[in-house]
Amino acid sequence: MPQSAERAELAASDPEILAALEGEEARQRAGLELIPSENYAFPEVLTLLGSAFTNKYSEGYPGRRYYGGQEYTDRIESLARERACALFRADHANVQPLSGSPMNQAVYLGLLEPGDTILAMDLSHGGHLTHGAPVSHMGRIFNFVRYKTDPRDGAIDFEALRKVAREAKPKMVVCGYSSYPRDYDYADFKRVADEVGALTMADVSHIGGLIAANVMRNPLDAGFDVMTTTTHKSLRGPRGGLILCKAEFAKKIDASVFPGLQGGPHMNQVAAAATTFRLAATPAFRAYGTAVLANARALAAALTRRQVKLVTGGTDNHLMVLDVVQSFGLDGAKAQAALDRVDLTTNKQVIPDDPLPPMRPSGIRLGTPAATARGMGAAEMEEIAAIIAETLRAGGDAEAEALLAARTRALTARFPVPGL
Ligand code: DSN
């Protein structure tokens, strides 16, 4: 059915939801997405997510399913697994995690016992909720101990990490982040883990696409046991999770995802992931990854020239954290709201050991994957930095904000959203 016919059907059956969909599409076209975990999915992904694969139940794995009718679902899941292994140089891939949190939960629950100790990064220093924040169920089931970054330069303090590891004797060392703007050598984590006999897991959800593009390091190359990534961030795929591991953990990981944690996988998501892994293996995707990093450096430099204080002083990846209290005398909630008013979408963000609470923290977080997917480059990063700095210095002045919003719209009008 052509899209206009589908829209006409939806207009007849549920005009309220159609109006919301069209509003969201208009918002995405006119505004600019600067949240580092968000992106514009490949157009092929949108097609497959809305395909007949959404109708199918497929509990089990290719060749070993509980229900009939699996000829095509087996084919797409096998392709997804093979392509993921080739893309990330892994022995084994599980493509069924419904999203990032169940993906990480499946690893912990599959390879560890409740009560085991896991060493992971502190949330305010860049770690993720599923890395053991006390408010998460994982934080209640496992005994998480934390490492932090060095306040002088934002680097991971590996000596302090080694000390904590020797004392706590973790069963697993977790690295990876959702708000840490630097890179590191995975071999440093592996050495510490080996010293205390711990498994190694890297959650590269944010930079999975940059690893696929071979523009950032791959933890599996450093001998990590497990690597997890969501598929919808820098990879530009469907919302979902991917677990990659050494062959020796394959059975435990598969059993932990299904039947351990989940029921039927979302086969429309698996089909879209399979296509994503193919697209991510192309020279065009490598060029995209290179541009994401170049744009992040350009945006960070342009903000710094405007006297904006960046946590750790810059970025090595696709994201940066702005200390908006120090730079503009605003908390992160107010800064996010002001930027929303000029059609720049960001998120408020805690900074390391933030004295302010999470709903009103000291920072905001920016990233370049989505702007780069629209085709923007260094000149646009300069203009985005100028709009951000001028907005956050405008004191909420409505007239100034209207002019700034017009500048955002002039920018986005030149760079259509892929697939919309
Ligand atoms: N929501 C993701 C992010 O923004 O980093 C992590 O779950």
Side-chain angles (χ1 to χ4, degrees):
M1 183 161 29
Q3 202 185 45
S4 53
E6 288 168 357
R7 291 286 164 115
E9 258 184 27
L10 188 54
S13 63
D14 197 342
E16 277 174 287
I17 291 295
L18 178 62
L21 171 61
E22 291 180 345
E24 176 62 14
E25 288 173 343
R27 186 193 74 79
Q28 291 191 16
R29 285 194 193 99
L32 185 60
E33 195 51 71
L34 291 171
I35 294 174
S37 50
E38 295 189 15
N39 211 333
Y40 306 112
F42 289 117
E44 294 88 334
V45 165
L46 297 181
T47 303
L48 287 163
L49 285 176
S51 71
F53 283 119
T54 199
N55 298 335
K56 190 73 196 102
Y57 256 123
S58 302
E59 284 96 333
Y61 290 98
R64 276 187 311 116
R65 306 274 193 195
Y66 288 85
Y67 298 179
Q70 307 290 348
E71 181 183 355
Y72 300 104
T73 47
D74 273 7
R75 196 180 297 172
I76 57 166
E77 187 166 352
S78 297
L79 279 171
R81 296 202 299 196
E82 287 160 21
R83 289 175 183 177
C85 286
L87 186 65
F88 291 104
R89 299 183 284 283
D91 294 343
H92 179 73
N94 187 304
V95 296
Q96 293 192 5
L98 301 177
S99 208
S101 293
M103 160 187 91
N104 287 343
Q105 289 164 12
V107 176
Y108 303 147
L109 294 165
L111 302 186
L112 303 173
E113 293 299 327
D116 277 355
T117 297
I118 304 175
L119 178 56
M121 195 183 207
D122 186 86
L123 183 67
S124 81
H125 286 244
H128 187 251
L129 277 173
T130 57
H131 300 173
V135 290
S136 78
H137 288 314
M138 293 303 108
R140 291 166 47 205
I141 294 174
F142 296 99
N143 171 39
F144 280 88
V145 288
R146 322 209 166 276
Y147 58 88
K148 293 188 171 189
T149 55
D150 187 326
R152 287 166 302 179
D153 59 2
I156 307 276
D157 183 344
F158 280 97
E159 265 323 300
L161 187 144
R162 174 172 284 111
K163 194 164 168 284
V164 181
R166 282 186 179 152
E167 279 162 15
K169 299 193 180 24
K171 292 273 170 51
M172 178 180 275
V173 173
V174 175
C175 68
Y177 45 80
S178 58
S179 61
Y180 182 61
R182 294 298 181 183
D183 193 19
Y184 38 63
D185 190 343
Y186 295 97
D188 289 330
F189 284 98
K190 181 87 171 76
R191 267 192 291 279
V192 174
D194 286 350
E195 269 181 41
V196 298
L199 296 171
T200 39
M201 165 176 157
D203 173 358
V204 299
S205 289
H206 264 255
I207 58 167
L210 303 172
I211 292 171
N214 278 313
V215 296
M216 289 195 76
R217 295 180 180 111
N218 182 338
L220 297 177
D221 293 343
F224 264 53
D225 297 306
V226 183
M227 179 166 95
T228 60
T229 181
T230 49
T231 50
H232 50 275
K233 297 187 173 86
S234 51
L235 259 174
R236 300 189 58 195
R239 300 195 80 94
L242 167 68
I243 303 173
L244 301 143
C245 64
K246 288 182 174 165
E248 65 193 279
F249 303 112
K251 269 199 174 145
K252 281 187 174 170
I253 290 291
D254 283 355
S256 183
V257 173
F258 174 86
L261 192 64
Q262 296 184 177
H266 297 174
M267 297 314 288
N268 55 335
Q269 169 196 328
V270 171
T275 287
T276 301
F277 302 145
R278 175 171 222 163
L279 293 169
T282 59
F285 195 76
R286 187 182 173 108
Y288 167 72
T290 305
V292 167
L293 294 183
N295 279 343
R297 281 195 298 274
L299 183 58
L303 288 165
T304 304
R305 279 198 301 281
R306 288 169 175 79
Q307 283 74 52
V308 179
K309 186 177 183 298
L310 300 182
V311 172
T312 80
T315 180
D316 298 328
N317 55 27
H318 63 300
L319 72 82
M320 62 213 72
V321 178
L322 283 54
D323 184 331
V324 285
V325 170
Q326 279 208 36
S327 307
F328 303 103
L330 292 174
D331 67 48
K334 288 197 175 118
Q336 177 191 306
L339 293 170
D340 269 341
R341 292 195 295 272
V342 301
D343 295 324
L344 293 179
T345 310
T346 64
N347 72 272
K348 53 185 172 290
Q349 176 65 48
V350 289
I351 63 171
D353 300 320
D354 203 329
L356 295 181
M359 288 306 278
R360 200 170 52 79
S362 301
I364 59 168
R365 190 179 62 147
L366 308 178
T368 54
T372 310
R374 286 177 93 138
M376 293 183 184
E380 289 72 41
M381 296 304 119
E382 193 68 39
E383 173 67 346
I384 293 165
I387 298 172
I388 291 172
E390 290 175 40
T391 301
L392 298 182
R393 293 193 173 116
D397 181 86
E399 216 169 298
E401 285 182 354
L403 291 173
L404 289 156
R407 279 168 63 184
T408 300
R409 285 171 182 242
L411 201 59
T412 54
R414 292 173 32 229
F415 295 93
V417 174
L420 287 192

